[in-house]
Amino acid sequence: MVFSCIYRYRKNTYLFIYYLIQFCGHSWIFTNMTVRFFSFGEDSMVDTFYAIGLVMRVCQSISLLELLHICVGIEPNHLLPRFLQLTERIIILFVVITSQEEVQEKYVVCVLFIFWNLLDMVRYTYSMLSVIGISYAVLTWLSQTLWMPIYPLCVLAEAFAIYQSLPYFESSGTYSTELPFDLAIYFPYVLKMYLMMLFIGMYFTYSHLYSERRDVLQGFPVKKKKV
């Protein structure tokens, strides 16, 4: 009994610190982008990646710990949907954007970062407070609803980023390689195949998140109109 309480306390402390770090990182990114936009206007969108790309990469790299959390049972989420969401971001951020300087200057990078950070600020706030037993109806509803319009827009922005990167991968030959027996991997073809997988994964993830939303919100009190 004592061991169980100690384990629960340490687990909740660790998760609270993890969520707090992620919340601070994404809040800093969103605040930085907002201030830069109001200060420099559209010019700030061009160098978004140069200004906050490092912090974004750190936050997304740390988020891979969430897969470990699920595997060892300290986070009650399903592995496959979270894996799909994380791999989407890792591939877009590290493979598509980071490897091509020309793509880093596109407006779609700024739009994508805004969507990602909006979702994560709300999600990590909700998760952080849930760990310590604090629950707000508005925050719960927001965390289970905000993704409905934004997640499909994220996928569209990710697909557009891939589309814009194709000419640069074709000209530079990045990640394309020759194999023995006159075989070769042409990376633009790999990206085009991934585009199809991206929308298939979106359907699966959206269905899972919708089911999760229904389960979480079904206990919400519903006010009935007086007759």
Side-chain angles (χ1 to χ4, degrees):
M1 184 67 178
V2 176
F3 176 78
S4 176
C5 292
I6 294 175
Y7 169 76
R8 191 184 312 112
Y9 173 77
R10 291 180 176 177
K11 180 192 74 171
N12 290 342
T13 301
Y14 164 75
L15 286 176
F16 179 84
I17 294 173
Y18 169 78
Y19 293 141
L20 178 62
I21 291 173
Q22 287 284 35
F23 170 76
C24 291
H26 288 288
S27 297
W28 181 88
I29 293 172
F30 187 80
T31 303
N32 188 295
M33 292 178 66
T34 303
V35 172
R36 283 170 50 81
F37 179 78
F38 284 108
S39 300
F40 306 107
E42 292 187 6
D43 293 339
S44 66
M45 300 178 69
V46 176
D47 61 349
T48 294
F49 185 83
Y50 300 102
I52 53 93
L54 176 61
V55 181
M56 176 63 80
R57 281 176 285 177
V58 171
C59 288
Q60 294 304 322
S61 298
I62 295 175
S63 68
L64 292 174
L65 285 172
E66 295 175 26
L67 299 179
L68 179 62
H69 296 168
I70 297 172
C71 288
V72 300
I74 64 175
E75 238 186 295
N77 290 322
H78 294 275
L79 181 61
L80 184 56
R82 194 73 193 114
F83 174 79
L84 291 176
Q85 289 178 288
L86 288 175
T87 51
E88 281 178 20
R89 296 190 181 189
I90 294 298
I91 291 174
I92 298 300
L93 181 58
F94 286 93
V95 178
V96 175
I97 298 175
T98 303
S99 66
Q100 300 296 326
E101 291 187 8
E102 296 84 355
V103 178
Q104 296 169 13
E105 300 175 354
K106 303 294 185 182
Y107 286 172
V108 68
V109 174
C110 181
V111 173
L112 195 54
F113 283 5
I114 290 174
F115 287 154
W116 284 353
N117 283 281
L118 274 175
L119 289 175
D120 285 338
M121 281 193 304
V122 173
R123 183 170 69 89
Y124 287 121
T125 302
Y126 170 74
S127 299
M128 181 174 58
L129 294 179
S130 296
V131 165
I132 57 177
I134 298 176
S135 176
Y136 295 104
V138 173
L139 181 60
T140 301
W141 180 86
L142 187 62
S143 69
Q144 298 297 327
T145 306
L146 185 63
W147 62 267
M148 297 182 73
I150 292 184
Y151 178 61
L153 293 175
C154 281
V155 175
L156 288 176
E158 290 166 0
F160 190 65
I162 292 175
Y163 172 77
Q164 288 195 313
S165 72
L166 289 175
Y168 304 111
F169 280 107
E170 290 172 354
S171 60
S172 65
T174 307
Y175 300 130
S176 296
T177 183
E178 294 185 359
L179 300 175
F181 308 108
D182 296 327
L183 298 176
I185 296 177
Y186 188 55
F187 195 68
Y189 288 164
V190 177
L191 285 178
K192 291 175 183 178
M193 292 177 60
Y194 180 70
L195 268 176
M196 295 185 292
M197 296 173 59
L198 192 63
F199 288 101
I200 295 173
M202 182 191 73
Y203 174 78
F204 176 81
T205 303
Y206 199 96
S207 300
H208 167 75
L209 291 175
Y210 186 81
S211 298
E212 186 180 77
R213 177 183 186 272
R214 182 184 56 205
D215 295 338
V216 171
L217 298 184
Q218 67 181 357
F220 264 38
V222 179
K223 294 182 179 180
K224 297 182 179 180
K225 295 182 179 180
K226 294 181 179 181
V227 181

